[in-house]
Amino acid sequence: MPEPIEVRKVPLHNVTDASELAKLIDDGVLEADRVIAVVGKTEGNGGVNDYTRILADRAFREVLVAKGSRTPDEVKQVPIVWSGGTDGVISPHATIFATLPREKAVQTDEPRLSVGFAMSEILLPEDIGRVAMITKVAAAVTEAMAKAGITDVADVHYVQTKTPLLTIDTIRDAKSRGHDVFTEDTLTSMDVSNGGTALGIAVALGEIEMPRDEDVLRDRTLYSSVASCSSGVELDRAQVVVVGNARGVGGRYRVGHSVMTDALDQDGIWAAIRDAGLELPERPHHTDLNGRLVNVFLKCETSQDGQVRGRRNAMLDDSDVHWHRQIKAAVGGVTAAVTGDPAVFVSVSAAHQGPDGGGPVAAIVDLGD
């Protein structure tokens, strides 16, 4: 049986700041050697050349090495997923997951938060956005579920991944070996990588049958309702964190999920919070949360028809500011208005992650006294 989970959200005071992680360790809230995953937002441009992710990654890993007994190579194996871009009111932050000794956790047979992690086989540049990627990701999701002690796919509520996107160097590498790639537009490859990964999650969880290469980014009816996929230049395989609930684990926390049907769907966010176990009034307000919401995790996407609720917008035609940044800022504002907290995990490029123009929402709540 997996150990119970402690989960905390901390601010980033600057792009290389991990002081709040260090404080949690120094205060005995969690142990450095028990940190098993970090999911966070950094303040860069969210694009191919967003090196704030690398800077934040280094800062957090240095604290884990300095405060614990694991070697730098061992700490490198800890999944730390950074989503770049805090457009609008979104505030840089990190959500830290750590195991607890069983005797320190609340004992209960009710479903409680459990986390599993796995790395896929190496993803070659020619794999990205194709069945080869979908297959490798699906296998890693299944492995991570097993590590979390989750046997029923219905108990999986959030799958956070980080995968490689395409760069000039990796495109050149594929060509040198006689292969082509899905796209030679490196920014578009972010959508390709995220979309292919989401389809792998959906296959692993039985949400869809195995798609074809030509379905990626084209058939938007194929999606996962729990996938949250991010990509960057930091790694060469899929890093998969499965978050769900399991009985007998114990602890104070529980996760739930829902989907936003469009960029303004506040009800989708509230539905995820309710699904996690909080009782709320019919028309809730952020003051009803009473500090029990740890964080929400969302993916968002501009609708392919260029509309929201029948009203035209110009995001897909804007040549000055890419739609990635515009929709992220918009949904970030909607989400912060719901939670009353701008430190929310809102990530863009949600191809095959929730319905077109919407996206999946996961919420972690504290059910302790």
Side-chain angles (χ1 to χ4, degrees):
M1 176 64 69
E3 292 183 295
I5 300 294
E6 179 66 42
V7 55
R8 295 295 177 100
K9 181 172 69 176
V10 298
L12 271 62
H13 300 297
N14 59 65
V15 74
T16 59
D17 173 56
S19 62
E20 298 291 344
L21 167 62
K23 187 174 187 299
L24 287 176
I25 296 168
D26 290 343
D27 290 347
V29 176
L30 49 84
E31 299 175 30
D33 290 345
R34 285 182 169 271
V35 172
I36 57 171
V38 178
V39 178
K41 292 291 300 182
T42 66
E43 60 210 70
N45 61 25
V48 176
N49 64 333
D50 184 352
Y51 300 112
T52 66
R53 296 181 298 231
I54 296 174
L55 294 171
D57 189 88
R58 178 180 298 173
F60 270 63
R61 293 188 194 278
E62 286 176 352
V63 167
L64 293 180
V65 171
K67 299 286 185 179
S69 62
R70 290 184 287 193
T71 67
D73 284 342
E74 289 171 330
V75 168
K76 282 181 182 178
Q77 302 308 309
V78 177
I80 299 183
V81 179
W82 295 107
S83 170
T86 51
D87 304 83
V89 300
I90 301 171
S91 184
H93 69 280
T95 303
I96 302 158
F97 299 85
T99 60
L100 278 179
R102 198 166 300 281
E103 64 274 11
K104 290 187 177 181
V106 175
Q107 302 301 307
T108 176
D109 288 329
E110 291 298 309
R112 289 294 183 265
L113 185 70
S114 188
V115 178
F117 163 69
M119 295 285 278
S120 77
E121 296 179 31
I122 289 177
L123 291 167
L124 301 171
E126 60 266 28
D127 293 343
I128 294 174
R130 291 170 171 158
V131 168
M133 177 185 214
I134 295 168
T135 302
K136 291 177 181 180
V137 169
V141 171
T142 300
E143 180 184 347
M145 273 185 63
K147 289 181 178 178
I150 298 172
T151 56
D152 187 343
V153 294
D155 291 325
V156 176
H157 294 276
Y158 173 44
V159 182
Q160 179 65 57
T161 64
K162 190 76 176 186
T163 51
L165 45 69
L166 293 168
T167 65
I168 295 300
D169 286 341
T170 58
I171 293 169
R172 187 182 300 119
D173 170 60
K175 288 182 174 180
S176 73
R177 293 181 287 103
H179 297 281
D180 66 354
V181 292
F182 189 104
T183 179
E184 295 190 20
D185 183 324
T186 56
L187 183 56
T188 298
S189 78
M190 178 182 296
D191 300 325
V192 175
S193 182
N194 290 357
T197 303
L199 291 173
I201 295 167
V203 167
L205 300 181
E207 295 176 285
I208 63 170
E209 299 295 327
M210 178 65 73
R212 305 164 299 169
D213 285 348
E214 53 265 38
D215 292 328
V216 179
L217 294 195
R218 294 182 179 89
D219 187 350
R220 298 296 181 117
T221 66
L222 302 176
Y223 64 82
S224 170
S225 61
V226 297
S228 176
C229 305
S230 184
S231 53
V233 298
E234 303 97 307
L235 68 174
D236 61 359
R237 61 191 75 203
Q239 187 172 261
V240 177
V241 180
V242 167
V243 183
N245 297 314
R247 291 186 180 275
V249 173
R252 295 161 38 195
Y253 304 97
R254 186 168 170 173
V255 61
H257 81 278
S258 185
V259 295
M260 292 178 74
T261 56
D262 62 32
L264 303 178
D265 184 16
Q266 296 187 36
D267 289 341
I269 303 172
W270 286 117
I273 297 170
R274 285 189 173 97
D275 189 53
L278 284 192
E279 294 185 8
L280 296 168
E282 183 178 353
R283 293 178 62 83
H285 185 262
H286 67 81
T287 55
D288 297 315
L289 295 171
N290 294 320
R292 290 188 177 272
L293 178 66
V294 178
N295 207 0
V296 288
F297 305 84
L298 297 87
K299 292 294 293 190
C300 58
E301 179 92 351
T302 299
S303 178
Q304 296 296 294
D305 65 6
Q307 297 186 32
V308 175
R309 301 194 181 182
R311 298 289 193 180
R312 180 177 69 90
N313 62 70
M315 284 186 282
L316 293 174
D317 289 326
D318 195 328
S319 298
D320 296 313
V321 181
H322 195 275
W323 66 263
H324 276 192
R325 308 201 72 167
Q326 298 190 49
I327 193 65
K328 191 190 308 175
V331 175
V334 170
T335 307
V338 168
T339 65
D341 182 359
V344 287
F345 186 91
V346 177
S347 177
V348 76
S349 186
H352 303 296
Q353 298 152 74
D356 181 39
V361 187
I364 297 176
V365 302
D366 184 349
L367 297 178
D369 293 334

